[in-house]
Amino acid sequence: MATFQCDKCGATKETRCQPKKCDACGASACMIKQGEAKKGSGCGCGCKSKKK
Ligand SMILES: [Zn+2]
């Protein structure tokens, strides 16, 4: 299961597939996947230096 959050109204929904539209406000293509951590996208601290 994954949690999707509406980018428009902030409503969340737990489902396996990405919802086509928000149940709460009816906006389409606004459901953003939440919960699962983004992996492999850097450390998030903004550092560019690599330790030699
Ligand atoms: Zn919504």
Side-chain angles (χ1 to χ4, degrees):
M1 293 288 271
T3 303
F4 293 85
Q5 183 172 32
C6 177
D7 193 35
K8 305 283 184 181
C9 71
T12 55
K13 180 176 183 173
E14 272 193 21
T15 179
R16 288 205 291 177
C17 300
Q18 184 166 13
K20 289 179 181 176
K21 69 172 188 176
C22 175
D23 285 341
C25 69
S28 59
C30 65
M31 303 303 284
I32 309 296
K33 195 172 188 178
Q34 305 284 305
E36 291 188 8
K38 296 175 184 174
K39 292 177 183 175
S41 58
C43 62
C45 70
C47 63
K48 292 179 180 177
S49 60
K50 289 183 180 179
K51 208 172 187 179
K52 288 183 179 176

